[in-house]
Amino acid sequence: MTRQTELAREQQHVTRLYDRLDVLRDRTQRQLKDVLAAGAVGTMQNRSERDTFAEMYASRLARLWAVERGLVFGRLDHVDEGRLYIGKLGLTDDEQERLLIDWRAPVAQPFYRATPAAPMGVTRRRHLQTKGRAVVGVDDDLLDLDALSDDDRATLNGEAALLAALDERRTGRMRDIVATIQSEQDRVIRADLNGVLVVQGGPGTGKTVVALHRAAYLLYTHRERLERRGVLILGPNLTFLRYIEQVLPSLGETDVLLSTVGELYPGLTTTVRERPEVAAVKGDLRMAAVLERAVRDRQRVPRKPVELTLGRYTLTIDRSMLEAARNKAARSRRPHNQARSLFVRSVLNALARQAARKLGRGLIDDDELAGLREELRTEPVVRTALNRLWPYLTPQRLLLGLYGSPERLGYAGAALTPEERALLRRDGGEWTESDVPLLDEAAELLGEIDEQVLRASALQAEEELAAARQAEEHEREAELAYAREVLELTGLSDVMEAERLAERQRGGGPYLTTAERAAADRTWAYGHVIVDEAQELSPMAWRAVMRRVPNRSMTIVGDIAQTGSAAGARSWAEVLDPYVAGRWRQEELTVNYRTPVELMALASRVLATIDPGLRAPTSVRETGARPWAAPLAELHELAKAEVGEGGKVAVVVPDELLSALGSVISDAVVGTVVVTPGAGSARGAAALDAPVAVMGVADAKGLEFDSVIVAEPGLIAAQSPKGPGDLYVALTRATQRLGVVHSQPLSPALGALPHPGHDAINGL
């Protein structure tokens, strides 16, 4: 049977699958329109049911559109079960005949795990290559020759698809590998949901893409549990998030929150990076104690009594009164802002009794005490004193007050050295990525400020507030009762407060996905959290992450050898034992699919300078293109030559030379994009699409390019305490070609590289 005949036969089945997909899309679109046409009418229960159906149909429609590209990619020929087609989602016809198997289903596992030694009942594994809806190629893996019929033998085609996929040029975006998942990767993807799984792997082992496919697999296998709570994926920077953003939608999963640590605090997106020495202090676990002392510092007990003049008499707030009030608030174990009401009530009670004595009333009953207390509460001089003694605080106000005051830093920062306190000192300025975990910590210590207090602080009259509360009270109580019932029935009572659900019902606003609701709620508890480049997180950042996953269901992806942050991890035990000692497990990815043998040999020499005991992953392919070295003065010409070779090119430079070398390359290559530290997502996306991207190592983490030029490797290795790890990262970003340009002498690990003029690489 000819290859063209086989393509035609496969095309017939693929066309049938796409026809079925179109039918399902049209049907779901009609269902969604019908639900939305009903409008927000009827009882609250009617509106809730409408929202639920609208969410279901919208989510289903999004998944059906997301799998258009590469809907089907494989076929399994079973000894017993016949032929099974494997794709991005499961499809059946109206008679429930199985047309396509979801790659995550248990029956699809042999597509990734079967080998000639253990065929798992499979005689042949076929990879289908499609372009649009057309079948353009087939490749077969023969697993059990003896079980093949004569007809099957006549239709064998090609070879496995993996190496062909690896040799393709980069597009500037990560693609799914669902058609080429390898056995050790599949083991990680399908690992159990519960507990903490660490995926340790060197450069090019597919850690990130495996983590993303794991998210898709877990959502398929545990959809009811995870769709309610959501999945959070944390990446190292916004450029990285733009790089991976298409993978999960291409697998049919459109409601996963992608975030950086700099976006974890709702309402704040920061990409500004600290100097390494400042980031190291802010990331240190001692900062938790510093913030706790900073909050206590704002709960003042002055040495001298506070005199309050109120017309005919003067009241005194003395130390014993304040100590008693503060102890009462502390015993409640409430956060600062919630405990304030207890402090204020205690002080006002003491002042009311004092006022009664001043007025000659002697002993007073509870009703008289309450009346005097409310009179005092409204006195401006009393309010001013109470706000000074125990102020309402926001996390931003607390941190700025700490950074801006040497006295407060001196008290709160007792655990820090004078030099470390000096590094924290600043007046104003932008929030940085290192500030976000501290803001999160402060929010835990402070608690939220009651909305009524915020309105009152905006000088709204108490009478207006009381009137508004009275007018809304009856309806609000009914709404809250219904909301509590809904949350109890749906099992969301531990994820969302009844007040928030009731507010959504009242607002009648647009439907928010799980990811959107989670992003806006600092206290959201996720069903699963995936942390990529996890070795870069500081101890304070880990505290913020762990708050978001109280069930400790996590996938942690990284490589200790690539740690570049001064506050980053030195071992996984150091990171995890404080939270899940004895309850985390580790898998290792050992095969490098990205970096060719020739390039990895060079990177391995640098790895040995970090720790001789570290072992680089094993590369699976050779390209014949050896790494080269050239003078820095030739950078502009070499960059132009690399662009001529085709594919995506990156120039990775020391931070101190980013501006200067970025200008050099921009003059040489039209369309060059220079990624400055902390660049926003738009700038990062432009770099991914540019012919040449110039960036520092921190922005190159997790990315890959066809060709990479590393400028001044000696300066990269010396720019931070973890500089050798940064150089190792820079040398392992290329899938095809690697060069080094320098003006300073190369280290012995990089010595003896040929000049590109010696035919070391193709085209140069």
Side-chain angles (χ1 to χ4, degrees), residues 147-222:
L148 286 177
S149 68
D150 290 340
D151 287 342
D152 288 335
R153 293 168 189 261
T155 61
L156 289 173
N157 277 274
E159 59 185 20
L162 174 63
L163 294 182
L166 295 175
D167 282 329
E168 289 181 357
R169 287 179 176 173
R170 304 302 97 180
T171 64
R173 296 294 188 280
M174 180 177 281
R175 296 166 293 187
D176 67 69
I177 59 164
V178 66
T180 58
I181 292 171
Q182 300 302 292
S183 180
E184 73 169 4
Q185 297 173 329
D186 188 68
R187 184 180 68 251
V188 172
I189 290 169
R190 298 177 191 268
D192 187 64
L193 168 68
N194 296 317
V196 177
L197 173 65
V198 174
V199 184
Q200 163 71 33
T205 54
K207 299 184 298 296
T208 296
V209 73
V210 165
L212 294 172
H213 286 67
R214 174 162 169 76
Y217 170 77
L218 292 176
L219 281 163
Y220 171 84
T221 308
H222 307 278

Side-chain angles (χ1 to χ4, degrees), residues 274-275 277-279 281-282 287 290 398-411 413 416-432 435 438:
E274 299 276 14
R275 303 192 316 273
E277 61 272 22
V278 180
V281 176
K282 289 186 176 181
M287 287 301 298
V290 169
L398 178 73
L399 274 188
L400 288 176
L402 179 66
Y403 294 157
S405 170
E407 293 77 16
R408 284 179 177 148
L409 268 175
Y411 169 77
L416 305 177
T417 67
E419 293 76 18
E420 289 171 329
R421 292 197 292 271
L423 290 172
L424 294 178
R425 178 79 173 85
R426 82 172 196 228
D427 293 309
E430 294 183 90
W431 294 112
T432 70
D435 286 324
L438 303 185

